[in-house]
Amino acid sequence: MAQVNPIMLISAAQIAMSKNNYDDAVKHLSNLINAFPKVTPSIALIQRCNCYYQLKEYQKCIDDGLTVLNLPDLQLQEEIVAGIKSIHATAKHRIAESYTALNQPEKAKEYADNIEEIEKNFKDNETSQKLREEGNELYKSGDIEGALKKYKEAFELNKTSEIICGNICAAYLKIEKLDEAEYWVNKSLELKPHWQKGFYRRGLVLMKKKEYYKAMEAFNECLLTAPNDTEIKKMYAEVAKSCTEFGLNEEGYPKEIKKGLEELQKDSWVNEK
């Protein structure tokens, strides 16, 4: 039987979560947790708990949250729920939210003092999701202004959603309002700092603005989590070509960009048709 490499599993889970691919993240985290049952990683459990919540698998979220509460408390390096810094407080919050989603308010009250706020946020998030979906339909039909209106209404109800910020960015990018697009993609990355799609969109916006060196940095961030992604490679190569065509800026290449460009020139995929 092949030995399980915990670092690879953690990395794979992080990559999946950076793409909001919570199904794959659950698989990797479960493999990690099952491989080390005597030293159950509490960080992995709270991350899986959150993934189950995002997937609306509320009972599984509750089960993981309860397990976390029986383990030592730890401080999170990166918040899962905005403003909550420990795994126990995060677990209680997700448990309360899950019981609220399951229409069990009395159970929810056992884990949260601010249950009225949680109930309101849950209802607002449900409404926000419906508005976002309506916006998506308008976007697909070509009504970008209508889509923007729906997305912004959705954001007013859920100001912690990087996905809605990304939708707004995409709409502004579609109608060539680049400053607005840049503002919203930066907002999405404030909410989720390692979001791959956020960096990809930032790269697209910066390319449109002809800020090629910054665009290269953004696509490079994407490649750190998805080194074999064909579309990202293609965009990275395209922006690298623009960098060489326009030459050095006044300060010269940033060190990491110059290194990336040198690597690009060596790689065969730069010249793929």
mmCIF file with all atom_site columns, all heavy atoms in Angstrom, residues 133-147 151 174:
data_model
loop_
_atom_site.group_PDB
_atom_site.id
_atom_site.type_symbol
_atom_site.label_atom_id
_atom_site.label_alt_id
_atom_site.label_comp_id
_atom_site.label_asym_id
_atom_site.label_entity_id
_atom_site.label_seq_id
_atom_site.pdbx_PDB_ins_code
_atom_site.Cartn_x
_atom_site.Cartn_y
_atom_site.Cartn_z
_atom_site.occupancy
_atom_site.B_iso_or_equiv
_atom_site.pdbx_formal_charge
_atom_site.auth_seq_id
_atom_site.auth_comp_id
_atom_site.auth_asym_id
_atom_site.auth_atom_id
_atom_site.pdbx_PDB_model_num
ATOM 1   N N   . GLU A 1 133 ? -28.248 34.365 -9.084  1.00 0.00 ? 133 GLU A N   1
ATOM 2   C CA  . GLU A 1 133 ? -28.643 33.453 -10.166 1.00 0.00 ? 133 GLU A CA  1
ATOM 3   C C   . GLU A 1 133 ? -29.447 34.182 -11.235 1.00 0.00 ? 133 GLU A C   1
ATOM 4   O O   . GLU A 1 133 ? -29.274 33.931 -12.434 1.00 0.00 ? 133 GLU A O   1
ATOM 5   C CB  . GLU A 1 133 ? -29.444 32.281 -9.583  1.00 0.00 ? 133 GLU A CB  1
ATOM 6   C CG  . GLU A 1 133 ? -28.573 31.319 -8.761  1.00 0.00 ? 133 GLU A CG  1
ATOM 7   C CD  . GLU A 1 133 ? -29.382 30.306 -7.982  1.00 0.00 ? 133 GLU A CD  1
ATOM 8   O OE1 . GLU A 1 133 ? -30.645 30.357 -8.052  1.00 0.00 ? 133 GLU A OE1 1
ATOM 9   O OE2 . GLU A 1 133 ? -28.780 29.464 -7.289  1.00 0.00 ? 133 GLU A OE2 1
ATOM 10  N N   . GLU A 1 134 ? -30.301 35.110 -10.807 1.00 0.00 ? 134 GLU A N   1
ATOM 11  C CA  . GLU A 1 134 ? -31.043 35.928 -11.775 1.00 0.00 ? 134 GLU A CA  1
ATOM 12  C C   . GLU A 1 134 ? -30.068 36.785 -12.582 1.00 0.00 ? 134 GLU A C   1
ATOM 13  O O   . GLU A 1 134 ? -30.233 36.966 -13.793 1.00 0.00 ? 134 GLU A O   1
ATOM 14  C CB  . GLU A 1 134 ? -32.055 36.817 -11.043 1.00 0.00 ? 134 GLU A CB  1
ATOM 15  C CG  . GLU A 1 134 ? -33.226 36.043 -10.443 1.00 0.00 ? 134 GLU A CG  1
ATOM 16  C CD  . GLU A 1 134 ? -34.109 36.914 -9.563  1.00 0.00 ? 134 GLU A CD  1
ATOM 17  O OE1 . GLU A 1 134 ? -33.950 38.166 -9.609  1.00 0.00 ? 134 GLU A OE1 1
ATOM 18  O OE2 . GLU A 1 134 ? -34.952 36.364 -8.828  1.00 0.00 ? 134 GLU A OE2 1
ATOM 19  N N   . GLY A 1 135 ? -29.061 37.305 -11.893 1.00 0.00 ? 135 GLY A N   1
ATOM 20  C CA  . GLY A 1 135 ? -28.036 38.079 -12.582 1.00 0.00 ? 135 GLY A CA  1
ATOM 21  C C   . GLY A 1 135 ? -27.287 37.251 -13.606 1.00 0.00 ? 135 GLY A C   1
ATOM 22  O O   . GLY A 1 135 ? -26.980 37.715 -14.711 1.00 0.00 ? 135 GLY A O   1
ATOM 23  N N   . ASN A 1 136 ? -26.990 36.007 -13.250 1.00 0.00 ? 136 ASN A N   1
ATOM 24  C CA  . ASN A 1 136 ? -26.295 35.110 -14.179 1.00 0.00 ? 136 ASN A CA  1
ATOM 25  C C   . ASN A 1 136 ? -27.109 34.886 -15.456 1.00 0.00 ? 136 ASN A C   1
ATOM 26  O O   . ASN A 1 136 ? -26.551 34.856 -16.564 1.00 0.00 ? 136 ASN A O   1
ATOM 27  C CB  . ASN A 1 136 ? -26.019 33.760 -13.507 1.00 0.00 ? 136 ASN A CB  1
ATOM 28  C CG  . ASN A 1 136 ? -24.918 33.845 -12.466 1.00 0.00 ? 136 ASN A CG  1
ATOM 29  O OD1 . ASN A 1 136 ? -24.160 34.810 -12.424 1.00 0.00 ? 136 ASN A OD1 1
ATOM 30  N ND2 . ASN A 1 136 ? -24.822 32.841 -11.621 1.00 0.00 ? 136 ASN A ND2 1
ATOM 31  N N   . GLU A 1 137 ? -28.416 34.732 -15.292 1.00 0.00 ? 137 GLU A N   1
ATOM 32  C CA  . GLU A 1 137 ? -29.272 34.532 -16.461 1.00 0.00 ? 137 GLU A CA  1
ATOM 33  C C   . GLU A 1 137 ? -29.287 35.776 -17.351 1.00 0.00 ? 137 GLU A C   1
ATOM 34  O O   . GLU A 1 137 ? -29.247 35.669 -18.587 1.00 0.00 ? 137 GLU A O   1
ATOM 35  C CB  . GLU A 1 137 ? -30.700 34.172 -16.023 1.00 0.00 ? 137 GLU A CB  1
ATOM 36  C CG  . GLU A 1 137 ? -30.826 32.795 -15.385 1.00 0.00 ? 137 GLU A CG  1
ATOM 37  C CD  . GLU A 1 137 ? -30.314 31.691 -16.288 1.00 0.00 ? 137 GLU A CD  1
ATOM 38  O OE1 . GLU A 1 137 ? -30.687 31.671 -17.474 1.00 0.00 ? 137 GLU A OE1 1
ATOM 39  O OE2 . GLU A 1 137 ? -29.533 30.838 -15.803 1.00 0.00 ? 137 GLU A OE2 1
ATOM 40  N N   . LEU A 1 138 ? -29.332 36.942 -16.734 1.00 0.00 ? 138 LEU A N   1
ATOM 41  C CA  . LEU A 1 138 ? -29.304 38.189 -17.504 1.00 0.00 ? 138 LEU A CA  1
ATOM 42  C C   . LEU A 1 138 ? -27.956 38.354 -18.213 1.00 0.00 ? 138 LEU A C   1
ATOM 43  O O   . LEU A 1 138 ? -27.893 38.793 -19.360 1.00 0.00 ? 138 LEU A O   1
ATOM 44  C CB  . LEU A 1 138 ? -29.561 39.382 -16.572 1.00 0.00 ? 138 LEU A CB  1
ATOM 45  C CG  . LEU A 1 138 ? -30.991 39.502 -16.037 1.00 0.00 ? 138 LEU A CG  1
ATOM 46  C CD1 . LEU A 1 138 ? -31.053 40.528 -14.921 1.00 0.00 ? 138 LEU A CD1 1
ATOM 47  C CD2 . LEU A 1 138 ? -31.959 39.881 -17.152 1.00 0.00 ? 138 LEU A CD2 1
ATOM 48  N N   . TYR A 1 139 ? -26.875 37.976 -17.522 1.00 0.00 ? 139 TYR A N   1
ATOM 49  C CA  . TYR A 1 139 ? -25.540 38.057 -18.118 1.00 0.00 ? 139 TYR A CA  1
ATOM 50  C C   . TYR A 1 139 ? -25.464 37.167 -19.361 1.00 0.00 ? 139 TYR A C   1
ATOM 51  O O   . TYR A 1 139 ? -24.971 37.582 -20.412 1.00 0.00 ? 139 TYR A O   1
ATOM 52  C CB  . TYR A 1 139 ? -24.493 37.627 -17.091 1.00 0.00 ? 139 TYR A CB  1
ATOM 53  C CG  . TYR A 1 139 ? -23.066 37.745 -17.565 1.00 0.00 ? 139 TYR A CG  1
ATOM 54  C CD1 . TYR A 1 139 ? -22.314 38.879 -17.296 1.00 0.00 ? 139 TYR A CD1 1
ATOM 55  C CD2 . TYR A 1 139 ? -22.460 36.709 -18.281 1.00 0.00 ? 139 TYR A CD2 1
ATOM 56  C CE1 . TYR A 1 139 ? -21.005 38.994 -17.725 1.00 0.00 ? 139 TYR A CE1 1
ATOM 57  C CE2 . TYR A 1 139 ? -21.152 36.810 -18.712 1.00 0.00 ? 139 TYR A CE2 1
ATOM 58  C CZ  . TYR A 1 139 ? -20.423 37.946 -18.434 1.00 0.00 ? 139 TYR A CZ  1
ATOM 59  O OH  . TYR A 1 139 ? -19.123 38.043 -18.876 1.00 0.00 ? 139 TYR A OH  1
ATOM 60  N N   . LYS A 1 140 ? -25.979 35.944 -19.236 1.00 0.00 ? 140 LYS A N   1
ATOM 61  C CA  . LYS A 1 140 ? -25.952 35.003 -20.365 1.00 0.00 ? 140 LYS A CA  1
ATOM 62  C C   . LYS A 1 140 ? -26.775 35.510 -21.548 1.00 0.00 ? 140 LYS A C   1
ATOM 63  O O   . LYS A 1 140 ? -26.433 35.248 -22.707 1.00 0.00 ? 140 LYS A O   1
ATOM 64  C CB  . LYS A 1 140 ? -26.479 33.634 -19.918 1.00 0.00 ? 140 LYS A CB  1
ATOM 65  C CG  . LYS A 1 140 ? -25.562 32.893 -18.967 1.00 0.00 ? 140 LYS A CG  1
ATOM 66  C CD  . LYS A 1 140 ? -26.224 31.618 -18.466 1.00 0.00 ? 140 LYS A CD  1
ATOM 67  C CE  . LYS A 1 140 ? -25.414 30.944 -17.366 1.00 0.00 ? 140 LYS A CE  1
ATOM 68  N NZ  . LYS A 1 140 ? -26.123 29.777 -16.798 1.00 0.00 ? 140 LYS A NZ  1
ATOM 69  N N   . SER A 1 141 ? -27.840 36.248 -21.243 1.00 0.00 ? 141 SER A N   1
ATOM 70  C CA  . SER A 1 141 ? -28.710 36.755 -22.326 1.00 0.00 ? 141 SER A CA  1
ATOM 71  C C   . SER A 1 141 ? -28.155 38.022 -22.959 1.00 0.00 ? 141 SER A C   1
ATOM 72  O O   . SER A 1 141 ? -28.718 38.524 -23.933 1.00 0.00 ? 141 SER A O   1
ATOM 73  C CB  . SER A 1 141 ? -30.114 37.016 -21.776 1.00 0.00 ? 141 SER A CB  1
ATOM 74  O OG  . SER A 1 141 ? -30.124 38.155 -20.927 1.00 0.00 ? 141 SER A OG  1
ATOM 75  N N   . GLY A 1 142 ? -27.066 38.567 -22.389 1.00 0.00 ? 142 GLY A N   1
ATOM 76  C CA  . GLY A 1 142 ? -26.453 39.772 -22.947 1.00 0.00 ? 142 GLY A CA  1
ATOM 77  C C   . GLY A 1 142 ? -26.880 41.062 -22.281 1.00 0.00 ? 142 GLY A C   1
ATOM 78  O O   . GLY A 1 142 ? -26.416 42.148 -22.664 1.00 0.00 ? 142 GLY A O   1
ATOM 79  N N   . ASP A 1 143 ? -27.755 40.970 -21.270 1.00 0.00 ? 143 ASP A N   1
ATOM 80  C CA  . ASP A 1 143 ? -28.209 42.170 -20.566 1.00 0.00 ? 143 ASP A CA  1
ATOM 81  C C   . ASP A 1 143 ? -27.239 42.426 -19.402 1.00 0.00 ? 143 ASP A C   1
ATOM 82  O O   . ASP A 1 143 ? -27.522 42.096 -18.247 1.00 0.00 ? 143 ASP A O   1
ATOM 83  C CB  . ASP A 1 143 ? -29.637 41.971 -20.052 1.00 0.00 ? 143 ASP A CB  1
ATOM 84  C CG  . ASP A 1 143 ? -30.202 43.224 -19.376 1.00 0.00 ? 143 ASP A CG  1
ATOM 85  O OD1 . ASP A 1 143 ? -29.467 44.227 -19.281 1.00 0.00 ? 143 ASP A OD1 1
ATOM 86  O OD2 . ASP A 1 143 ? -31.369 43.178 -18.924 1.00 0.00 ? 143 ASP A OD2 1
ATOM 87  N N   . ILE A 1 144 ? -26.107 43.025 -19.702 1.00 0.00 ? 144 ILE A N   1
ATOM 88  C CA  . ILE A 1 144 ? -25.050 43.199 -18.700 1.00 0.00 ? 144 ILE A CA  1
ATOM 89  C C   . ILE A 1 144 ? -25.456 44.219 -17.640 1.00 0.00 ? 144 ILE A C   1
ATOM 90  O O   . ILE A 1 144 ? -25.190 44.023 -16.451 1.00 0.00 ? 144 ILE A O   1
ATOM 91  C CB  . ILE A 1 144 ? -23.723 43.611 -19.372 1.00 0.00 ? 144 ILE A CB  1
ATOM 92  C CG1 . ILE A 1 144 ? -23.357 42.625 -20.486 1.00 0.00 ? 144 ILE A CG1 1
ATOM 93  C CG2 . ILE A 1 144 ? -22.612 43.687 -18.337 1.00 0.00 ? 144 ILE A CG2 1
ATOM 94  C CD1 . ILE A 1 144 ? -23.253 41.182 -20.053 1.00 0.00 ? 144 ILE A CD1 1
ATOM 95  N N   . GLU A 1 145 ? -26.099 45.311 -18.069 1.00 0.00 ? 145 GLU A N   1
ATOM 96  C CA  . GLU A 1 145 ? -26.529 46.310 -17.094 1.00 0.00 ? 145 GLU A CA  1
ATOM 97  C C   . GLU A 1 145 ? -27.546 45.720 -16.121 1.00 0.00 ? 145 GLU A C   1
ATOM 98  O O   . GLU A 1 145 ? -27.509 45.985 -14.920 1.00 0.00 ? 145 GLU A O   1
ATOM 99  C CB  . GLU A 1 145 ? -27.122 47.536 -17.810 1.00 0.00 ? 145 GLU A CB  1
ATOM 100 C CG  . GLU A 1 145 ? -26.115 48.323 -18.641 1.00 0.00 ? 145 GLU A CG  1
ATOM 101 C CD  . GLU A 1 145 ? -25.053 49.008 -17.784 1.00 0.00 ? 145 GLU A CD  1
ATOM 102 O OE1 . GLU A 1 145 ? -25.256 49.116 -16.554 1.00 0.00 ? 145 GLU A OE1 1
ATOM 103 O OE2 . GLU A 1 145 ? -24.029 49.444 -18.352 1.00 0.00 ? 145 GLU A OE2 1
ATOM 104 N N   . GLY A 1 146 ? -28.469 44.907 -16.657 1.00 0.00 ? 146 GLY A N   1
ATOM 105 C CA  . GLY A 1 146 ? -29.446 44.240 -15.797 1.00 0.00 ? 146 GLY A CA  1
ATOM 106 C C   . GLY A 1 146 ? -28.772 43.272 -14.838 1.00 0.00 ? 146 GLY A C   1
ATOM 107 O O   . GLY A 1 146 ? -29.150 43.168 -13.660 1.00 0.00 ? 146 GLY A O   1
ATOM 108 N N   . ALA A 1 147 ? -27.767 42.554 -15.338 1.00 0.00 ? 147 ALA A N   1
ATOM 109 C CA  . ALA A 1 147 ? -27.016 41.624 -14.495 1.00 0.00 ? 147 ALA A CA  1
ATOM 110 C C   . ALA A 1 147 ? -26.307 42.364 -13.370 1.00 0.00 ? 147 ALA A C   1
ATOM 111 O O   . ALA A 1 147 ? -26.331 41.937 -12.208 1.00 0.00 ? 147 ALA A O   1
ATOM 112 C CB  . ALA A 1 147 ? -26.007 40.849 -15.338 1.00 0.00 ? 147 ALA A CB  1
ATOM 113 N N   . TYR A 1 151 ? -26.558 41.710 -9.394  1.00 0.00 ? 151 TYR A N   1
ATOM 114 C CA  . TYR A 1 151 ? -25.359 41.359 -8.622  1.00 0.00 ? 151 TYR A CA  1
ATOM 115 C C   . TYR A 1 151 ? -25.155 42.327 -7.457  1.00 0.00 ? 151 TYR A C   1
ATOM 116 O O   . TYR A 1 151 ? -24.804 41.914 -6.348  1.00 0.00 ? 151 TYR A O   1
ATOM 117 C CB  . TYR A 1 151 ? -24.122 41.378 -9.524  1.00 0.00 ? 151 TYR A CB  1
ATOM 118 C CG  . TYR A 1 151 ? -24.056 40.276 -10.552 1.00 0.00 ? 151 TYR A CG  1
ATOM 119 C CD1 . TYR A 1 151 ? -23.435 40.499 -11.787 1.00 0.00 ? 151 TYR A CD1 1
ATOM 120 C CD2 . TYR A 1 151 ? -24.594 39.008 -10.314 1.00 0.00 ? 151 TYR A CD2 1
ATOM 121 C CE1 . TYR A 1 151 ? -23.351 39.503 -12.742 1.00 0.00 ? 151 TYR A CE1 1
ATOM 122 C CE2 . TYR A 1 151 ? -24.521 38.004 -11.270 1.00 0.00 ? 151 TYR A CE2 1
ATOM 123 C CZ  . TYR A 1 151 ? -23.890 38.255 -12.485 1.00 0.00 ? 151 TYR A CZ  1
ATOM 124 O OH  . TYR A 1 151 ? -23.809 37.259 -13.428 1.00 0.00 ? 151 TYR A OH  1
ATOM 125 N N   . LYS A 1 174 ? -16.807 42.878 -19.141 1.00 0.00 ? 174 LYS A N   1
ATOM 126 C CA  . LYS A 1 174 ? -17.530 42.635 -20.393 1.00 0.00 ? 174 LYS A CA  1
ATOM 127 C C   . LYS A 1 174 ? -17.853 43.939 -21.118 1.00 0.00 ? 174 LYS A C   1
ATOM 128 O O   . LYS A 1 174 ? -17.832 43.999 -22.354 1.00 0.00 ? 174 LYS A O   1
ATOM 129 C CB  . LYS A 1 174 ? -18.825 41.875 -20.092 1.00 0.00 ? 174 LYS A CB  1
ATOM 130 C CG  . LYS A 1 174 ? -19.590 41.388 -21.309 1.00 0.00 ? 174 LYS A CG  1
ATOM 131 C CD  . LYS A 1 174 ? -18.972 40.147 -21.879 1.00 0.00 ? 174 LYS A CD  1
ATOM 132 C CE  . LYS A 1 174 ? -19.828 39.532 -22.963 1.00 0.00 ? 174 LYS A CE  1
ATOM 133 N NZ  . LYS A 1 174 ? -19.179 38.357 -23.596 1.00 0.00 ? 174 LYS A NZ  1
#
